[in-house]
Amino acid sequence: MADQIPLYPVRGAAAAANRRRAAYYSAAGPGPGAERPSRYQPEDESAHLDEMPLMMSEEGFENDDSDYHTLPRARITRRRRGLEWFVCGGWKFLGTSCCDWLINICQRKRELKARTVWLGHPEKCEEKHPRNSIKNQKYNVFTFIPGVLYEQFKFFLNLYFLAVSCSQFVPALKIGYLYTYWAPLGFVLAVTIVREAIDEFRRFQRDKEVNSQLYTKLTIRGKVQVKSSDIQVGDLIIVEKNQRIPSDMVFLRTSEKAGSCFIRTDQLDGETDWKPKVAVSCTQRLPALGDLFSISAYVYAQKPQLDIHSFEGTFTRVGLLDLELNQLTKALFGALVALSVVMVTLQGFVGPWYRNLLRFLLLFSYIIPISLRVNLDMGKAAYGWMIMKDESIPGTVVRTSTIPEELGRLVYLLTDKTGTLTQNEMVFKRLHLGTVSYGADTMDEIQSHLRNPYSQMQPPAGGHTSSTTPPRKAQSAAPKVRRSVSSRVHEAVKAIALCHNVTPVYEPRAGAPTEAEDAEADQDFSDGNRTYQAASPDEVALVQWTESVGLTLVSRDLGSMQLRSPSGQLLTFSVLQMFPFTSESKRMGVIVRDESTAEITFYMKGADVAMSSIVQYNDWLEEECGNMAREGLRTLVVAKRALTEEQYQDFESRYSQAKLSIHDRALKVAAVVESLEREMELLCLTGVEDQLQADVRPTLEMLRNAGIKIWMLTGDKLETATCIAKSSHLVSRTQDIHVFRPVTSRGEAHLELNAFRRRHDCALVISGDSLEVCLKFYELELAELACQCPAVVCCRCSPTQKAHIVKLLQQHAGRRTCAIGDGGNDVSMIQMADCGIGIEGKEGRQASLAADFSITQFKHIGRLLMVHGRSSYKRSAALGQFVMHRGLIISTMQAVFSSVFYFASVPLYQGFLMVGYATLYTMFPVFSLVLDQDVKPETAMLYPELYKDLTKGRSLSFKTFLVWVLVSVYQGGILMYGALLLFESEFVHVVAISFTALILTELLMVALTVRTWHWLMAVAELLSLGCYVASLAFLNEYFDVAFITTATFVWKVSAVTVVSCLPLYVLKRLKRKLSPPSYSKLSA
């Protein structure tokens, strides 16, 4: 036995296990591994084209300059220097660079090196490896409080109030009681910390569930159970059937004598089909499992490389609404400073004016409401609760409670194909023989046709010996044409049953041994115990269909396969040559010998574009392929060619010689195979349907009507992706499709982009390789053209490319993006998007766990966006602006009060009045706006066009903000001047009248803002009013109790309140009458 087992190449840690990736993989595979070069390189400048320059406007085609290399330079702007550069953003660049440098110094990663991993001996590892555990948590015990505080105080709003609260420790700047400032700030931080703690604990529980899965570890003393997080580099792990591979592993041994097994790479490329893998030969030949410890072997693994199944980083989501509100608070701060400067200026800058300026800044600090963040955060929690409690979308989970309103701002939806739009379950739908076609309702006719050729064959006793006599044609009185159809059906079905890479697998009976030497000793070969494994679900669907019509694949190994006929006879075929499917050839073939007749036949099947030139002349293939494609079926052309013994021996000799060639081996092998692919007999055309997810078509149509552009990013091949795009109605039947031809150079990309630019209103289909070339040289041009397309399909995309496309859309279009997928290969795309949605499906929970929202079916995304996304955004916009209104109105009253009393920096309301105004007296009615809705959910689903208005951001803009500012200034001025006008003799009466009218105005404004009343809204209004009335008895420090119980107080407060609210109500009714919003028309 060899002393060592070299393995080249190994990506990531080898032997039995490496550290757990951030996704939970079932296999490992190579990835891109190389950084993308810069977009424009000097060596490219030498190329020249006679084609017109690539321009983005019609005027560009009229330009006399034909040198397309001038295009990139035209986009370069004048470079700023010196002070101009520093003022125009250089300071930010320098600060960011310094921070990045410090972070790199503190978090410098160790150099990655090649490793030697001893089998079964983790203690021999020369270096320490991280744990094999998944961790999606954002914080740990030590970083939780600092991390949460940083996330809060990086927003200008909270940082400003922290500075204001700290200023109260300075005696000269003290305005009121300390709790007036610190209590609201502490409440905001407490709510945020509790919410983050709950989210972090949920993440911890999900990670613990995955990391606690048990696996069997092989040791010198036998088998033991270990948690996946306790697996170490060098451990020997036994992976059972249908069990996820817990880490990067080297395949050493299997229970199959041939040393092969089937694995799924759904967490790498999204494909759920089974792929054959072969164990290391020297360890497979060992007599028993325990001998793995006696050979003293190790694996030498090269250093880890950048590949498709690795990613790192923690993504912290911040919604667009939060950023917009942060900008508005900065505008409010500018107004605050300006108002304070005006006050000091009107004072004449007398005395210590700078101290007065700071006091005015503190007096007007309520312009920026501290309760804004806590109200929005509580609102988001409420939206998440509503989503999870919606019975129309059961199983939906909100994993990120900070961005539910992002669901109402989406413009681009990037979706995976396999498992997201489709179920990845293939169903045989159509068999066409040229003159006759069989569908799902005529399959019984195929059974009768197939039964005739085998009707004279008698199955031997037991039914498990091969046929020794050739099948004879059945004696039938049927006409000759009928017999001809039966013969053609028989040949077509037999070709489908033989030309594939499917292997039947049988479950061992209960109590059967599991060791390799005994695994095949006792198996049940009954039909109910058999499953099929293959490299493609299409293959399985075809073999399952042949079984359903009577010709069953019962066994297969590397050199033979057995079929069972409808009469029970076993037919044995030797596999002489196998030509697997490749993306270049688009076809596969097999040469078999019938053991009963010694006939040698070459069977081939493939895409119509590859087979049309190989088969004999016919006048129906192209037309029928087009008909099936329009039905959304995946087509395969099946053909055969009979070979004599001499022809096969000649081919085998030339084929073997070609495989031994040193130079141009692939070309020579392909040439020998192509010598057989001539004038083949066309047998049939098959149509297989990839079952779509429930209600995919109406859901995609709804999203398009809502103004959402849908891009499909898949790792599948171009033909399959195009077929699904048509069958799912991602691309409408009347819409043209532009298939971007493969390009490998800048010149080819330039020409193809020019050709694409001339197409109008057509969907784009592009492969990952061509996309990479275009992004290298013409990133902005490709993005601009693609964004104009109604739909885009990117096939053969790696996870890295998917994430790059999302980032490209964010940078170029500047619109909100959403990514949806169900596999580990979709995680990078989901995390890069502004909003990530994961589907819990056959490909595991990796996408679901990494996403912001988790759903169980694709159709649920319609209600998630149209109803909950739309409502969340409109509610948050209304809530944020109303909270700002609440701070602006009291600041306006303070400004009027100070100006009347000789610009004195004296607070109008102190102590509990300010705390109560922001919390007990107005908080519940204002927060009840999260229950408001403009239209019913059914209406929002019926008219998705309502969603389109939200993408323009009109619900929260500087225009709407300015309207609320004007309303606040008007109401604040009326309340203060009215109270000053109507008060009698004592200042305390001014406080009583103005504050009571202020509370009533706020309650009335909430009532006027509500569009659909909820019973909790009425409760909140009455509860707040009751609390204020009840507290009047205890506010004798601020109010004259004798005065507030008189009728004079009541009518004065009522008069001021009516003047402040009635005009606004009249204007609102007039606007609704003259220019009604779209939702009001539908409600009516």
Side-chain angles (χ1 to χ4, degrees), residues 321-577:
L321 185 90
D322 294 312
L323 299 177
E324 291 173 340
L325 288 174
N326 199 47
Q327 293 297 325
L328 293 180
T329 55
K330 293 179 181 179
L332 289 175
F333 178 74
L336 165 65
V337 174
L339 182 60
S340 301
V341 171
V342 168
M343 286 294 183
V344 174
T345 303
L346 294 175
Q347 272 186 334
F349 292 97
V350 295
W353 63 269
Y354 53 87
R355 187 180 66 181
N356 292 335
L357 176 63
L358 293 176
R359 288 182 62 87
F360 276 121
L361 287 173
L362 296 174
L363 282 175
F364 300 142
S365 62
Y366 281 93
I367 287 181
I368 305 175
I370 189 174
S371 58
L372 177 61
R373 293 289 309 172
V374 70
N375 274 278
L376 289 177
D377 288 345
M378 292 172 64
K380 292 173 181 179
Y383 307 147
W385 182 84
M386 294 176 190
I387 292 173
M388 290 190 289
K389 293 299 180 181
D390 190 345
E391 296 180 355
S392 300
I393 47 175
T396 301
V397 179
V398 179
R399 303 198 187 278
T400 303
S401 59
T402 57
I403 58 168
E405 69 279 349
E406 287 294 281
L407 295 171
R409 307 287 298 277
L410 303 178
V411 176
Y412 289 96
L413 176 67
L414 300 100
T415 175
D416 181 38
K417 179 188 73 68
T418 306
T420 303
L421 297 180
T422 68
Q423 301 179 26
N424 203 34
E425 293 181 358
M426 307 300 170
V427 179
F428 191 93
K429 288 291 187 179
R430 185 76 50 85
L431 178 70
H432 204 291
L433 302 179
T435 57
V436 61
S437 177
Y438 298 96
D441 53 346
T442 56
M443 291 301 175
D444 54 337
E445 296 183 22
I446 296 180
Q447 293 179 357
S448 62
H449 286 313
L450 195 63
R451 198 176 296 115
N452 292 334
Y454 298 104
S455 60
Q456 299 299 321
M457 300 173 58
Q458 299 298 327
H464 288 288
T465 60
S466 301
S467 172
T468 57
T469 60
R472 291 174 295 174
K473 293 185 179 180
Q475 301 297 325
S476 174
K480 186 175 181 180
V481 176
R482 181 72 174 179
R483 288 197 303 270
S484 175
V485 171
S486 296
S487 176
R488 291 165 60 191
V489 169
H490 169 234
E491 287 297 329
V493 175
K494 185 170 73 169
I496 297 173
L498 290 173
C499 187
H500 53 72
N501 59 8
V502 180
T503 302
V505 178
Y506 297 87
E507 295 283 351
R509 292 192 306 209
T514 57
E515 292 293 333
E517 57 270 16
D518 298 321
E520 297 181 357
D522 194 8
Q523 288 186 337
D524 185 1
F525 289 91
S526 62
D527 290 346
N529 202 42
R530 179 175 54 249
T531 58
Y532 295 112
Q533 292 182 344
S536 170
D538 301 65
E539 300 274 75
V540 176
L542 293 172
V543 174
Q544 287 177 338
W545 175 77
T546 62
E547 178 184 359
S548 68
V549 296
L551 200 57
T552 305
L553 176 68
V554 294
S555 68
R556 179 177 185 157
D557 55 32
L558 296 178
S560 66
M561 67 177 76
Q562 284 186 323
L563 305 179
R564 187 169 61 219
S565 69
S567 60
Q569 186 75 16
L570 285 184
L571 310 174
T572 302
F573 297 84
S574 297
V575 180
L576 303 180
Q577 297 290 345

Side-chain angles (χ1 to χ4, degrees), residues 117-161:
V117 183
W118 291 87
L119 303 190
H121 298 283
E123 67 278 0
K124 292 186 178 181
C125 291
E126 299 176 356
E127 57 180 316
K128 185 178 180 181
H129 298 282
R131 295 185 66 210
N132 185 52
S133 60
I134 284 178
K135 184 176 181 182
N136 288 312
Q137 296 169 248
K138 294 168 57 177
Y139 312 103
N140 57 36
V141 176
F142 302 102
T143 62
F144 177 72
I145 295 297
V148 173
L149 292 179
Y150 169 75
E151 289 295 329
Q152 289 303 304
F153 290 123
K154 74 178 182 181
F155 285 100
F156 176 79
L157 176 66
N158 291 342
L159 184 63
Y160 166 75
F161 266 97

